[in-house]
Amino acid sequence: MNIVCFDLEGVLVPEIWIAFAEATGIPELKKTTRDEPDYDKLMKYRLDILKEHGLGLKEIQDVIATLDPMPGAKEFLDELRSQVQVVIISDTFEQFAAPLMKKLGYPTIFCNQLVVAEDGSIADYKMRCEKSKYTTVRALQSMGYDTIASGDSFNDLGMIQASKAGFLFKSTEQIKADYPDIPAYEEYDELLAAIKAVIKE
């Protein structure tokens, strides 16, 4: 039994923090897991910047409301979900993901949660589990699933390498160069064909 696991940002929807950085004119917030492998370090960096500028959840959600899935992403997911179970495993947060899940047709997503203070500021965050993507893939495998995984960033490598088959999608030139053994694709039809080939094996 196969189950396909995807990252969310950079793969199916735009990078939320980059969009927010552009909307607010704060270039420091453009840093993502493509740049910083240590997610805890990255999030503390982001929260410090939000606090410094007096920005909270509402301001981020207002930007998220303007975002749409990447062109072709929903059609790609619809086609794949008609043939195999699909789950999105993301290091984003429930408070960020909800409106984007609606636009993608409500696929299953496992993600984290923000701790929001009464004044709307983001006080902290709660990770669902340690090494969430790798841990989730291993848990699915323990339930009898063969996992197929795809993502674009450093924090996707664990689930990609632990899976029966894994693919980089819209990744950076550096990550592709560092992991030449992982097939890399730029278009949904290429990724769809590669996943379908694995499913048929």
Side-chain angles (χ1 to χ4, degrees), residues 19-128:
F20 188 62
E22 290 172 348
T24 57
I26 304 172
E28 294 88 349
L29 286 173
K30 286 188 176 182
K31 186 181 286 189
T32 71
T33 50
R34 290 175 168 216
D35 312 299
E36 175 53 68
D38 186 330
Y39 190 73
D40 188 56
K41 181 179 176 182
L42 177 62
M43 275 305 300
K44 286 175 178 173
Y45 167 82
R46 288 167 168 169
L47 294 186
D48 285 344
I49 293 172
L50 292 179
K51 187 175 181 181
E52 179 187 334
H53 290 271
L55 297 168
L57 178 60
K58 182 186 183 302
E59 289 80 8
I60 300 174
Q61 288 179 326
D62 286 346
V63 172
I64 293 170
T66 69
L67 300 179
D68 289 314
M70 291 180 173
K74 185 179 184 299
E75 294 77 10
F76 164 75
L77 271 186
D78 288 346
E79 170 68 17
L80 200 56
R81 290 169 69 196
S82 72
Q83 300 183 39
V84 67
Q85 294 296 312
V86 174
V87 61
I88 296 170
I89 308 173
S90 174
D91 279 338
T92 194
F93 305 95
E94 292 174 0
Q95 296 94 328
F96 289 2
L100 293 167
M101 292 304 99
K102 182 178 181 180
K103 292 179 180 180
L104 284 171
Y106 293 108
T108 299
I109 182 170
F110 298 150
C111 59
N112 305 306
Q113 197 166 35
L114 292 169
V115 179
V116 183
E118 287 186 14
D119 65 358
S121 63
I122 301 171
D124 202 356
Y125 60 96
K126 291 181 180 177
M127 300 296 283
R128 191 169 44 80

Side-chain angles (χ1 to χ4, degrees), residues 34 151-153 168-173 175-176 184-186:
R34 290 175 168 216
D152 68 324
S153 299
L168 290 169
F169 187 69
K170 296 185 183 294
S171 189
T172 67
E173 293 305 317
I175 292 175
K176 287 188 282 188
Y185 300 107
E186 297 297 321

